[in-house]
Amino acid sequence: MTVFHLIAALLLAGGLEQASQEHIDVRVGIVAYEDFHGELEHFEQFFAELSRRDPALHFQLAVGSYSDVLHWLDRRLVDVAVLTPGAFASVLPREDRAGLCTYLATIQLPPATSTWASAGRKAAGFHDSYAAVCLVSESSTLRSLGDLKRAAQENRVEFLFVHPMSVSGRVAPLKGLHEIGIQPADKQVQFTHSHTQSIRMLADTQPAKERVAFVWDDAAGKDSELEAGVRRLPFPKLEELEIPHDVVVAQSEFKHLDRFRKLLDGAESGPYRFTHIIDWRPRFRTVRNWLRSAGGLSAPQDQPRISLDEISRTLLQYSRSQPQPPRLALVLSGGGAKCSYQVGAVAALEEKLAELRRTTSEPGLDIELVVGTSGGAINSVPIAMGISSTEAGRQAFRNTWCALDQREIVRPSLLIRANMGLWFAMLQTVLLIWCVRRFVPEPEKRGRTYAIAYLLLAAAAVSVGYLPGSPWRWLGTNHVWHHIWLWQSFGVRASALTLFAFGVGALVLEAFRTRRGRHMIPVGFTKTTLLAGVLGLPLLQAGTILFHEETLSSGQGMRQTLADKLPDLMNKYLTDRNLPLLELGDGVSAETRLQNISRQVIERDLLKRDLVITGSCLGQTSQELPSDLYFYAPANRSSAAPPYGERGLSLIERPRILLDVVMGSGSIFPVFPPQRIENIPRGGEHIELVDGGFAHNSPVEAAVLWGATHIVLIEATPRGRSERGNFLLNAASSFHHLHKQAQLLDARSRGKVTVFSLSPEPPHLCALDFADNLVAASIERGYRDAGTNSSPSASFRKELGEPTFSHVQPSD
């Protein structure tokens, strides 16, 4: 053998070995619809067969909604996609450019078996088009299109459409309705997100209006029970519209496009045959024109607005189409008093999920994971216990928030309050001197007037400082007045003591004055003292806060409030379920009471939903512990721990610290001091926990890592960019930017799963607006924004996630 032959043999062997080791991953996105499980099995078998025919190709399948798969194509997260006719027509490539994707084949189906299908659709052989049909209940009074038109004009009909992009379930029916003179109003339309759900809703024995459903002609298949009680309403102009079947497309830049196209064309799998249709372009241009007329070609939004109804139907569709049920996570951001907004929004969400569960037995239609940070951490515990899942619990939750008193939560130090009290007293003295000198001309009478006025002011200050009720409603809804009232209330008691002392002093000096015939106080001394006090005390206060005090308020007010309010809320919930009440302990401190509550919540398995609370370490004895932590407690003790790594700390192993962690996560530093938690991570060590919002103000990452498929994120702070201009605005903008940079982990996680986010529009509360009327208005606003049955709204932003792939094993 010559050297040339040897080299050729080696190259040939190397080429064969390389070919045998060739591995091409093909990512496939499939638009799913309700009751999709059987279809998914067919696709898995089909792609397994393709992999057997070309062993180099390894297929990974991901199932999603219309918008999901189009999003994956647009972001190049899939190579190949199976699209419905509406989805493909919406991105139909023009002849002069490649477009988003390239057409490969049409999925042809066997003859229809439903009794509603036409004779042509039941003919033998494969079919590459189908039709839509109009259905009504067997008991419906609608017998003809004339009846339907009159009922629509009299607003006696409700049209059940499947989805805005469903050709047979909305687009073609709208064209047919327009041709006979019917223009359905928005209030006459309900989207069911499922052909079979539309049929099921016709079985409702007491609908508010006559229901008319539009589905594809083989929606019932061989299911005779689904057809029972339903009849077809003849609609020739609709039934003559030919709708092309689903298609297989590929990224225009897919490297193995020709290889896959040849493998696909003519392939068969179970009931399907994949065929390249020569005249596919005019067919889908027709569908595109229908879509345009139906308003389905509007410019896509990065974060489209959807309603709570649509969220619930998305979960239902996912439950009926995916191999595993959805895992819904509720994520609650921070914001102090702003988080009262979450109470109303969660109430609307719980009502909608309960309504959904009453109409179907599908799994996964409830909140399974609650993640909270800062003020949201306080809300997360009752929600994780299931308190918000009942009407009584929701009302008790609302009442607990409305019972909060900002004077009890925010408690500045004695030195700060004394300074404020003295300053208020001096301000009142200035006003008092001016009034007395103006209205009491005789100097000999002024001393007694001063003394009486001081004592009356002191009595008024005592009444205000110790007033048992809350005067918030008198101040209206402008939170500026509430801030003024809050800050003056810090010093009103000290002011009462100062004014009382001034009054007593005035009486004593008045006694000396009457003996000597002099004025009570030298005028020069009075002016100098008041000027120094009114101008100097604020500077002294600023210096005290900046250079002497560690925080603006102690944490005792928040701790005492939690210890007083949470047990009442929890015990009412336990009473409603005939469960033993919490053992709080007699005469114990607020700290001990919180630890007792924490231990019983964990050890008695009172959590009905998985719980995560975030916190940030301001200080710690163990440097091996990360600064941002996830404290977690599974509702089921046998559940696997979430993959948080060294950031995750189990509350099951540390049951006494649950509410200490809530306290720490809600401690807005440096307004409130850090919460010291002992024996973390080991005995003898400790951490100082502060606001979890520093690193995770919207802790989406925690939900994603713990397996959430869908997230409802309720933010307490309005969205918007910070303004720039003067130094103060620029400093605030800089802080906002740094805070936003600290949220990158959660920002990146938001693109992994579907997130439905809700936030209030400005103006909104401030973090310390714990006034009952402001809180009640905020709760009602959250309920209204989330959308109720009586007032549906598209307030949620939908953020699409990445595909979750399953690997297809080649067939034998």
Side-chain angles (χ1 to χ4, degrees), residues 262-284:
K262 293 177 182 178
L263 187 65
L264 184 67
D265 191 23
E268 293 189 17
S269 174
Y272 306 138
R273 184 170 68 185
F274 297 77
T275 304
H276 184 92
I277 304 297
I278 301 299
D279 62 342
W280 65 270
R281 193 179 295 273
R283 296 188 185 197
F284 284 99

Side-chain angles (χ1 to χ4, degrees), residues 328-336 338-350 367 369-386 388 397 401 609-615 630 662 665-666 691-704 710-717 743 746 750 755-760 782 786 796:
L328 177 62
L330 174 66
V331 176
L332 305 171
S333 72
K338 302 176 190 178
C339 296
S340 55
Y341 179 85
Q342 297 169 346
V343 177
V346 170
L349 175 63
E350 294 272 26
I367 300 168
L369 169 63
V370 184
V371 183
T373 192
S374 192
I378 299 174
N379 284 333
S380 67
V381 175
I383 295 171
M385 290 178 63
S388 60
F397 200 8
W401 262 93
R609 294 154 171 169
D610 297 337
L611 173 66
V612 180
I613 299 171
T614 74
Y630 292 146
V662 170
S665 184
D691 192 348
F694 283 137
H696 299 283
N697 195 51
S698 299
V700 171
E701 186 204 34
V704 172
H710 299 77
I711 295 174
V712 172
L713 167 62
I714 303 179
E715 299 176 293
T717 301
Q743 313 297 319
D746 292 308
R750 290 173 83 138
V755 178
F756 309 105
S757 61
L758 178 70
S759 59
F796 287 85

Side-chain angles (χ1 to χ4, degrees), residues 363-637:
L365 304 179
D366 197 2
I367 300 168
E368 294 193 12
L369 169 63
V370 184
V371 183
T373 192
S374 192
I378 299 174
N379 284 333
S380 67
V381 175
I383 295 171
M385 290 178 63
I387 291 176
S388 60
S389 63
T390 67
E391 179 60 36
R394 290 190 287 271
Q395 186 60 46
F397 200 8
R398 182 186 187 280
N399 293 342
T400 299
W401 262 93
C402 291
L404 298 178
D405 191 329
Q406 53 190 354
R407 297 170 298 182
E408 296 176 356
I409 295 174
V410 183
R411 292 185 181 180
S413 69
L414 178 61
L415 183 59
I416 292 177
R417 285 183 279 120
N419 188 305
M420 294 180 70
L422 182 59
W423 187 65
F424 288 150
M426 286 194 169
L427 282 178
Q428 293 175 78
T429 297
V430 171
L431 180 62
L432 178 60
I433 290 175
W434 181 84
C435 290
V436 170
R437 289 187 175 181
R438 180 176 179 83
F439 298 108
V440 183
E442 300 86 353
E444 63 275 8
K445 295 182 179 180
R446 290 174 179 170
R448 189 173 186 82
T449 303
Y450 283 138
I452 294 174
Y454 274 128
L455 293 176
L456 290 175
L457 287 173
V462 169
S463 300
V464 171
Y466 293 90
L467 199 66
S470 59
W472 316 127
R473 297 186 184 278
W474 307 343
L475 303 176
T477 58
N478 189 323
H479 68 93
V480 174
W481 289 108
H482 290 269
H483 286 315
I484 294 173
W485 176 267
L486 173 63
W487 285 100
Q488 72 84 26
S489 69
F490 292 153
V492 69
R493 296 183 182 182
S495 174
L497 295 175
T498 304
L499 290 170
F500 180 76
F502 284 178
V504 173
L507 288 175
V508 173
L509 289 174
E510 173 64 12
F512 280 103
R513 187 200 69 80
T514 55
R515 291 180 182 181
R516 301 182 182 182
R518 299 177 181 177
H519 292 296
M520 183 179 68
I521 302 176
V523 175
F525 173 76
T526 303
K527 290 182 178 179
T528 302
T529 303
L530 291 175
L531 183 63
V534 171
L535 298 181
L537 284 176
L539 296 176
L540 178 62
Q541 186 76 298
T544 301
I545 293 174
L546 294 175
F547 302 109
H548 181 269
E549 298 293 326
E550 294 184 2
T551 58
L552 184 61
S553 173
S554 71
Q556 185 57 36
M558 185 191 300
R559 183 178 296 106
Q560 190 65 54
T561 298
L562 284 178
D564 291 340
K565 306 297 184 185
L566 271 183
D568 292 342
L569 176 61
M570 293 178 178
N571 278 335
K572 186 179 187 312
Y573 166 77
L574 296 174
T575 300
D576 291 342
R577 280 156 182 73
N578 297 318
L579 296 173
L581 301 182
L582 297 172
E583 298 177 1
L584 306 178
D586 297 330
V588 299
S589 65
E591 183 175 6
T592 301
R593 173 180 279 202
L594 291 176
Q595 291 177 354
N596 289 340
I597 297 170
S598 301
R599 177 182 53 78
Q600 292 173 79
V601 168
I602 298 297
E603 293 181 353
R604 290 175 54 181
D605 296 326
L606 296 181
L607 295 177
K608 305 305 177 187
R609 294 154 171 169
D610 297 337
L611 173 66
V612 180
I613 299 171
T614 74
S616 302
C617 287
L618 185 65
Q620 59 207 79
T621 54
S622 175
Q623 297 306 313
E624 67 189 53
L625 201 63
S627 60
D628 63 312
L629 300 176
Y630 292 146
F631 297 86
Y632 66 90
N636 184 350
R637 289 173 177 265

Side-chain angles (χ1 to χ4, degrees), residues 621-622 654 676-687:
T621 54
S622 175
R654 306 167 179 87
R676 179 171 170 138
I677 304 179
E678 301 290 346
N679 301 320
I680 299 290
R682 291 175 292 270
E685 297 181 331
H686 71 269
I687 59 173

Side-chain angles (χ1 to χ4, degrees), residues 34-35 114-116 135-138 194-203 213 215-232 320:
E34 194 178 350
D35 302 331
S114 172
T115 58
W116 306 320
L135 303 177
V136 294
S137 170
E138 188 65 57
S194 161
H195 292 268
T196 53
Q197 179 65 14
S198 293
I199 298 172
R200 293 186 187 104
M201 291 181 66
L202 293 176
V215 299
W216 75 297
D217 56 9
D218 202 26
K222 299 179 181 179
D223 189 347
S224 58
E225 292 184 2
L226 199 58
E227 291 183 332
V230 177
R231 60 180 168 83
R232 182 175 65 89
R320 287 173 168 166

